[in-house]
Each structure stands twice: as C-alpha cells, then as structure tokens.
Amino acid sequence: KKSKKVSLSQINQEVKKLVKEQQLDQQVKVRMDARGVTLEIASDLAFSVGSADLSYSIKQFLVKLVSTMEKATYAIAVEGHTDNVPMRSVQFPSNWELSASRASAVITYLTSQGIAPDKFRAIGFGDTVPKVANDTAENRAKNRRVDITFLTMG
C-alpha cells in the first residue's frame, strides 16, 4: 500500500485537525517552522511519572497519526525531554535514559502499527533543552514532553 507524499503544510493541517477532533488542544501543541511540523505532546498525556510505558490515551492518538506519517516525505524525529529533577532508578539512572526511552517507546509503537522503522530518528535530550525555566512545578511540567517533528529534509 503506497501512500502519496504530501507537503508539510498539508501535514500541518491534518495534524491540527486531528488534535482538535480528539480534543487534545491543551496537551498537544502543533507548530510549523523552518525545521518542519512539530507536535509537542505533554508527558502527562503520554506517560506515568518516571515511566517510558505509553499510556492508553497516547496510543489512541498515535494510531490516528499513522496515515499522516506514512505520507511524510522525509524523516520523523521523535525527541524525549525531561525536567531537571534528577532521575535515579535501576531502569533509568538519569534523565538521559528516561528521555531516550520515551522517544524509543513512541517509535516502537508506531512501527508496530506498520510505519517503516527507517522513517524515524529517536533523540533523548534529558533536561538539556527546556522550554521554560525549571523553577516551578508548573514550568517543570511544561518541560516534560515528547516532540514529534515531520522534518523538512532527510
């Protein structure tokens, strides 16, 4: 089954429509810039605290993105981000491991839905790319996220 490739502006429109239909406007932000079309997904929608196991809610959303992802011309970057609260568990000795595992979990799920693995790039940023200062609980929550970017080039 071969899908027709579409422009980033079409992807932007499809993704924004899906977010609105799913009533996820507060938890999934969509933006388009020179890098591509990015879905910024709040980690509280996608994961439990300190976990890289995908929630039922995020799986329901991601499965609806599959047809759009299949039409993407270039690679899709999945980037995990954490706040600056130190992560120390057997499974995740640091925020680096947690953020990378979250990005990988999203990709693993999407490839299980039939998207070619070579379309993805998994990136774990830990707490190195905060959106806002990690100075309040509310701001730390804003920094915990997974970004999915439909890239403008390979």
Side-chain angles (χ1 to χ4, degrees):
K1 68 182 187 188
K2 200 77 170 146
S3 297
K4 184 175 165 286
K5 303 294 183 193
V6 297
S7 72
L8 280 176
S9 59
Q10 288 172 290
I11 287 174
N12 187 43
Q13 289 173 341
E14 282 185 30
V15 170
K16 283 184 174 178
K17 182 180 176 208
L18 177 63
V19 168
K20 192 173 199 70
E21 286 172 354
Q22 299 298 304
Q23 300 176 336
L24 292 172
D25 309 76
Q26 296 303 307
Q27 295 163 299
V28 180
K29 305 293 183 208
V30 182
R31 70 179 181 277
M32 186 171 168
D33 56 26
R35 189 165 178 246
V37 175
T38 300
L39 289 82
E40 181 183 301
I41 303 169
S43 77
D44 64 351
L45 171 68
F47 305 99
S48 298
V49 174
S51 168
D53 296 329
L54 293 175
S55 70
Y56 176 78
S57 300
I58 195 63
K59 287 179 180 179
Q60 294 300 105
F61 176 68
L62 291 174
V63 80
K64 289 174 173 44
L65 273 177
V66 168
S67 64
T68 302
M69 289 184 164
E70 288 174 336
K71 295 182 272 190
T73 303
Y74 297 113
I76 299 168
V78 180
E79 303 166 345
H81 298 269
T82 65
D83 60 25
N84 68 343
V85 174
M87 180 75 214
R88 290 192 186 95
S89 71
V90 174
Q91 188 176 10
F92 306 114
S94 76
N95 283 327
W96 288 104
E97 284 87 0
L98 178 60
S99 66
S101 292
R102 287 179 168 182
S104 295
V106 170
I107 291 171
T108 299
Y109 181 72
L110 289 166
T111 57
S112 78
Q113 300 304 305
I115 300 177
D118 64 355
K119 190 174 260 318
F120 293 106
R121 309 291 180 266
I123 304 162
F125 281 104
D127 63 356
T128 63
V129 187
K131 286 177 48 179
V132 294
N134 278 298
D135 54 0
T136 65
E138 186 178 292
N139 280 354
R140 284 189 291 278
K142 290 177 184 173
N143 289 329
R144 293 188 301 267
R145 66 198 189 278
V146 171
D147 291 345
I148 299 174
T149 303
F150 294 81
L151 299 169
T152 55
M153 54 173 98

